[in-house]
Amino acid sequence: MSIGKVNVKVLTKKKKSSLNRADRRHQASQIRKTKRDEVLAKKRGRGGQGAPPHFVVILKLHKDVDISSVLSLLKTCDEEATVNLNEQGICHISIPRFKQRVSIYTPEYGNMHALLDTVKVADSLLCLLSTDGGIDDFGDYCLTCLCAQGIPAVNFGVQGLKLMPHKKQSDVKKSIQKRIDKRFPGDKYHSIDSTQDALLMLRLITNQKLRPIFNREYRPHLLAEDIQFELPNEESELGTLKVSGYLRCQNLSVNSLVHIPGWGDFQMLQIDAAKDPYTQNQKTRGIAGQDTEMSESEGYVTVLDKANPSQQESLESENVPDPMEGEQTWPTDEELAEADKNAKKKVVKKVPKGTSEYQASWIVDSDDDNDSQLDEESDEDDDEMQGVDEVESADNESDNEEFETLTVTEADEDAQYDETMDLDEEKNMLKKIKEERLHVMFPDEVDTPMERTARERFSRYRGLKSFRTSPWDPKENLPLDYARIFQFANFRQTKKRVMNIESDGGALPGWYITVHIANVPKEFMESYKPGNPVVVFGLLKHEQKISVLNFMIKKNSFYTKPIKSKERLIFHVGYRRFTACPVFSQHTNGSKHKLDRFLPADTVTMATVYAPTMFPPASVLVFKETYSGEHELVATGSLHSVNPNRIVTKRTVLSGLPFKINKRSAVVRFMFFNREDIDWFKPVELRTKWGKRGHIKEPLGTHGHMKCVFDGQLKSQDTVLMNLYKRVFPKWTYNPHVNAPPVINEFSLDTMETEEDEEEEGTAYQMFE
């Protein structure tokens, strides 16, 4: 017993409960047993009664694979199996021998959206290879997209292998296994030539270990088994979409939001629990404790819940900025009269920080004059080109009249070839290629305009002593679009809290339910084709709110065309699909990140867009829509962060040449063309391409010559540079509606390494030199 005063640390110190060795071993064994029981319960309940069927997607990796014969073998491999086929193209097989249910879907060959959407919710993927080549170019392209998106458990099957001569079988087996090991080392393939092989394949599929995908494990989702659309009247543009299917993974509350890929977010009206049409015992099973109604077409229908407007999640994705926010009290009449007098004399302008009133009077607010001059020059160039085209067309018509029998067929062939290409697209692509080559040779260098002062042209730019350590306030000079977005005080803590929320009510996983989705546009049913999959995802809290998303992506090696910053691209982010114009920047550890004018081909790049919030990890696929409507895979990656404070700076380099060199000092010209610009940019540090550093000492004359001092003597062939920076922001171009691309009949990897391009590249380099 202690007598007298006791130390405060002793009173407030918590007693640590230390376990001995036996207790620690017992605790570890209990944790292992609990996890093992959870895995076994999940495995035994998969595909059985009370659980959704095991969903399998069959993908043929070669155009010559006969997928119908494989599907017929899977249907007839067990005589006791029950087979059902619905209007959505999903084949349900109930196998009493395994006590399992399997749902099989075969996407149309060449339909990338159908393939990507179904694999997002698939439990297994069955890839069929050909004995002649194994995997073709389109099959390899599909595997590239699926591996970047997140691929489930995979099985490989080959048909027709046993029908080949025995001497060729060993060589074919080695070549097929070599193609599989390229992407999936250690996986084996199985032959599917008989009903026994098909039954063995079904056993492997139902008993294999599933591969978890984080993006869908925490969100409820269902694949549509039946679709109905109701309009309140013929003139209405919005209606109610009824989607029926098996709910998977998590509970679904009627007051939450749902997302349809390619169409956006929607609210729900009610959720019905209908009779399971594909049960093993084919008996009618209702939900205990619920009122059951009878329908002629659907059988027993149970209304689980209806939406409560007071508790329902809002579709509000943007913040409505208040223009009067931050204003003071209402001014008096005298203050208003004084403000009117001052408004006639003073003009409010946006100028850099530290600008004096005299300097501000020389800054022009708009670039309308320069834009009009550029427009006039471009119009004159277009007129000249149009005149040349008219002369050429007239010459061609005269040639056709003289040689009618020899040129009609050739003209028809040229016309057919011209129909398959877009001349404007070709011109734009050539322009971007030249800009990218020029950017590689002279990164970020810009010519100082002679007809306009540099302090006006670069008024929004600033100089930095050190790009890595110089401070930059992330809340400074924000655009108006930043008032429309949402920002999290602590995004990691918000993600942790949202992921740990357990929803008690609503529909449970494994139930066959019907979701009534409100205010779906009529264009959805007009563009819908029977057999195309429709996937519905439930949203977590805050996932409908727009913020600034940063994607970490890398350009694919087989895509060689240049992609410019702020160019419209198609993003597949987790369960979402939308279009936006991203801003590319370098992926570095500093607080400031340099803008990339083009998507680099050999490094990881950050793409910044305005888009709805999503909690990482989430896969990212970036596509580019061609003039024919096809979607080409540009880059792949993942969601890095949701952070509006990430600073992306655009660097502009002004260059000058040394005119006279005297030890450490030199006279530099061609960087500026008037004395006032030199005085304006005098505090900014200079550097050279050969590693020298210096500063402007004084201007010489009135035509842009200036005396500079460096830390060493310059060489005559050196170039003097000045780095200027400004912060850039993405454009508000988010669009959740994405048109489905046409079905790809013939696939080939486009390469730009042709003889014509090599000649053009040589001439471009000669021109730059």
Side-chain angles (χ1 to χ4, degrees), residues 138-276:
F138 183 72
D140 190 71
Y141 177 74
C142 292
L143 290 178
T144 301
C145 297
L146 294 179
C147 290
Q149 176 182 268
I151 194 168
V154 186
N155 292 280
F156 296 94
V158 180
Q159 190 181 26
L161 184 61
K162 296 180 180 180
L163 302 178
M164 299 182 64
H166 292 283
K167 294 182 179 180
K168 294 184 178 180
Q169 285 187 10
S170 60
D171 296 336
V172 173
K173 289 180 180 179
K174 291 180 180 179
S175 63
I176 292 176
Q177 189 63 44
K178 186 177 180 180
R179 295 300 301 271
I180 295 175
D181 291 339
K182 184 178 179 181
R183 290 185 179 271
F184 305 93
D187 290 358
K188 305 296 181 182
Y189 66 92
H190 302 274
S191 177
I192 309 177
D193 291 326
S194 62
T195 56
Q196 294 180 354
D197 295 338
L199 189 62
L200 178 61
M201 179 58 70
L202 288 179
R203 180 185 291 273
L204 292 174
I205 290 174
T206 54
N207 293 330
Q208 72 178 157
K209 181 181 178 181
L210 297 183
R211 185 176 299 174
I213 299 177
F214 178 85
N215 187 40
R216 69 184 185 189
E217 293 297 326
Y218 286 87
R219 297 173 178 85
H221 57 271
L222 60 88
L223 177 66
E225 302 275 351
D226 183 37
I227 293 178
Q228 297 179 6
F229 189 75
E230 296 180 356
L231 285 172
N233 52 65
E234 296 181 356
E235 299 179 356
S236 178
E237 296 294 332
L238 303 176
T240 302
L241 180 66
K242 298 181 180 180
V243 180
S244 301
Y246 293 96
L247 185 64
R248 302 171 185 269
C249 289
Q250 299 293 333
N251 297 359
L252 180 62
S253 174
V254 71
N255 293 321
S256 61
L257 301 179
V258 294
H259 176 80
I260 301 177
W263 292 93
D265 305 333
F266 302 95
Q267 291 179 335
M268 291 179 286
L269 297 177
Q270 70 179 41
I271 299 178
D272 301 337
K275 171 190 172 182
D276 191 346

Side-chain angles (χ1 to χ4, degrees), residues 2 6 163 240 266 278-279 391 418 443 475 621 644 671 715:
S2 61
V6 181
L163 302 178
T240 302
F266 302 95
Y278 310 109
T279 57
V391 173
D418 292 341
K475 304 296 184 182
L621 279 74
M671 182 177 290
K715 301 292 184 181

Side-chain angles (χ1 to χ4, degrees), residues 674-713:
N674 58 73
R675 188 183 184 93
E676 290 77 11
D677 288 343
I678 299 175
D679 293 333
W680 179 276
F681 291 99
K682 189 175 182 180
V684 183
E685 186 181 18
L686 301 176
R687 68 178 180 89
T688 68
K689 289 188 175 181
W690 286 32
K692 304 297 181 181
R693 291 184 176 274
H695 62 275
I696 301 174
K697 187 175 182 180
E698 59 181 354
L700 300 176
T702 59
H703 297 289
H705 289 210
M706 57 185 179
K707 185 177 181 180
C708 305
V709 179
F710 297 89
D711 57 358
Q713 187 173 4

Side-chain angles (χ1 to χ4, degrees), residues 548-692:
V548 179
L549 273 62
N550 302 305
F551 304 133
M552 186 169 55
I553 61 175
K554 185 176 181 180
K555 190 175 182 180
N556 284 333
S557 58
F558 56 80
Y559 191 89
T560 57
K561 301 176 183 178
I563 299 296
K564 198 173 183 179
S565 185
K566 295 185 180 181
E567 187 173 347
R568 181 171 293 275
L569 299 174
I570 301 172
F571 289 87
H572 292 236
V573 184
Y575 56 86
R576 288 190 181 273
R577 183 165 59 239
F578 58 88
T579 61
C581 298
V583 171
F584 302 130
S585 60
Q586 295 179 353
H587 179 42
T588 56
N589 294 328
S591 60
K592 298 176 286 296
H593 311 273
K594 180 179 169 296
L595 172 75
D596 284 333
R597 287 179 168 82
F598 292 88
L599 180 63
D602 54 348
T603 59
V604 176
T605 308
M606 299 295 291
T608 304
V609 297
Y610 293 116
T613 302
M614 184 175 293
F615 297 103
S619 60
V620 176
L621 279 74
V622 185
F623 292 85
K624 180 73 171 71
E625 185 175 3
T626 61
Y627 64 90
S628 60
E630 299 179 356
H631 295 179
E632 297 180 355
L633 183 64
V634 173
T636 57
S638 61
L639 174 62
H640 182 265
S641 62
V642 181
N643 184 17
N645 291 333
R646 188 176 186 274
I647 300 176
V648 180
T649 59
K650 179 181 179 181
R651 185 182 72 171
T652 296
V653 180
L654 304 182
S655 60
L657 299 177
F659 180 54
K660 296 179 181 180
I661 301 174
N662 185 13
K663 294 184 179 180
R664 294 180 56 218
S665 64
V667 178
V668 181
R669 60 177 178 176
F670 300 148
M671 182 177 290
F672 303 107
F673 298 100
N674 58 73
R675 188 183 184 93
E676 290 77 11
D677 288 343
I678 299 175
D679 293 333
W680 179 276
F681 291 99
K682 189 175 182 180
V684 183
E685 186 181 18
L686 301 176
R687 68 178 180 89
T688 68
K689 289 188 175 181
W690 286 32
K692 304 297 181 181

Side-chain angles (χ1 to χ4, degrees), residues 66 99 462 601:
D66 187 8
K99 296 181 181 180
R462 68 180 68 177

Side-chain angles (χ1 to χ4, degrees), residues 302-340:
T302 302
V303 179
L304 290 178
D305 199 0
K306 292 186 178 181
N308 187 357
S310 61
Q311 300 178 358
Q312 197 169 23
E313 285 282 343
S314 174
L315 282 173
E316 182 181 3
S317 61
E318 302 177 16
N319 183 27
V320 180
D322 185 8
M324 300 299 295
E325 184 178 2
E327 291 291 331
Q328 298 179 355
T329 56
W330 190 259
T332 61
D333 296 338
E334 297 177 356
E335 293 175 345
L336 291 174
E338 184 179 358
D340 292 338

